[in-house]
Amino acid sequence: MLIDIHTHVVNSNFNPKECKTNFVINLFLKKTNYTNYENYITNLISLINNSKLDKAVLVAIENSELCANNEQVFEICKKYSEFLYGVNLSPFDKDIDLKVQNAYKNGAVLVKILPSFQNVNLSDKQCIPFFELLKEYNLPLLVHTGKEYTLKTNSQNLNNPDLLENAAKIGVKIICAHCGTRIFLHEKNYFKNWAKLAIKYENVYGDLSAMITPVQIFDLKKILKSHELKSKVIFGSDYPSFPFDLSVKTTNNPIIDSYNFYEKIGFDDTMFKNAEKVLNL
Ligand SMILES: [Zn+2]
């Protein structure tokens, strides 16, 4: 089964006129021909069906005016077989054991955390019971790593892969979104931190989502040169994100453009096989 491990959907109440958006968000929405919630979902389904992919993980984000929350994503996943449920939780949520249990019962295939947006330091010892729960339910953890561009942030340092050492030691399957990379040259790059963790721990992976700018090509080439790192990456588009590489002829389908880009530079089927393995599909 071919999977896109990382896609997003707008909140059903999203109103571009009222919600504060930045140039990145505006660019993405323009590209999706966004008119309303329903049309966003139907467009995304046809993009998946027109690609070689079978399914995409829809990642929920709680407390965001822009992104769909757990309840909305769960409803979409119940209705359309193209989607798999990516639940957003925090180790500091009230009744977290019940929430993890419910997410599992509701068919969640992974748990997403955006440390800088949720203001969570994953190296905090208080997160350990949460990691033990994820291990018990065999739920992988997808963590945003590297700079956050679209959602309000507390400290960007919270997105450092080094903070995942405890979770890695416990044996949680961890997917570091964007492999810790940055989009602009002057920004802090956490790629080396990710690479170190992915080499040290068998259960640590990285997703290739939104690694599509000219700055990230340096890090992508480092992955391709290392057999160990190349075996640890997973395909993701971070839809509505799309490749900025002008050398890839656009198909006007950002999902196809994304995997065409990775395949063109040398990534192979491992990026799809890893998704099946990590998500227990
Ligand atoms: Zn994302």
Side-chain angles (χ1 to χ4, degrees), residues 14 50 53 126 155 274:
F14 172 68
N50 290 328
L53 299 184
Q126 292 181 67
S155 165
N274 279 342

Side-chain angles (χ1 to χ4, degrees), residues 8-112:
H8 294 278
V9 61
V10 289
N11 191 291
S12 61
N13 300 314
F14 172 68
N15 180 346
K17 287 188 189 111
E18 280 170 20
C19 178
K20 258 201 202 145
T21 53
N22 60 25
F23 80 98
V24 182
I25 298 168
N26 293 338
L27 194 69
F28 289 167
L29 288 174
K30 199 165 172 240
K31 186 86 176 175
T32 64
N33 300 316
Y34 174 83
T35 52
N36 60 53
Y37 183 64
E38 274 74 31
N39 121 291
Y40 183 106
I41 297 167
T42 8
N43 278 349
L44 180 51
I45 291 174
S46 74
L47 294 176
I48 296 167
N49 289 335
N50 290 328
S51 75
K52 66 177 181 185
L53 299 184
D54 301 297
K55 285 174 194 284
V57 178
L58 261 191
V59 173
I61 312 283
E62 289 282 280
N63 307 310
S64 156
E65 283 181 313
L66 177 66
C67 305
N69 58 29
N70 289 335
E71 207 184 314
Q72 292 164 359
V73 170
F74 175 59
E75 287 306 318
I76 300 170
C77 295
K78 260 201 319 203
K79 210 163 152 190
Y80 304 102
S81 62
E82 286 84 356
F83 297 120
L84 299 165
Y85 179 28
V87 67
N88 176 221
L89 299 173
S90 162
F92 301 107
D93 280 345
K94 210 175 150 240
D95 300 324
I96 185 63
D97 27 4
L98 208 65
K99 282 194 172 167
V100 172
Q101 202 182 347
N102 279 341
Y104 176 80
K105 270 194 211 147
N106 289 337
V109 293
L110 59 82
V111 174
K112 166 83 184 228

Side-chain angles (χ1 to χ4, degrees), residues 6-8 59 61 112 114 142 144 148 150 177-178 207 209-210 238-239:
H6 190 154
T7 64
H8 294 278
V59 173
I61 312 283
K112 166 83 184 228
L114 289 109
L142 173 64
H144 177 94
E148 168 60 51
T150 45
H178 328 298
D207 87 17
S209 73
D238 209 3
Y239 183 88

Side-chain angles (χ1 to χ4, degrees), residues 1-4 52-56 269 272-273 275-276:
M1 197 189 302
L2 300 187
I3 312 272
D4 181 339
K52 66 177 181 185
L53 299 184
D54 301 297
K55 285 174 194 284
D269 270 6
F272 294 117
K273 284 187 189 135
E276 272 191 292

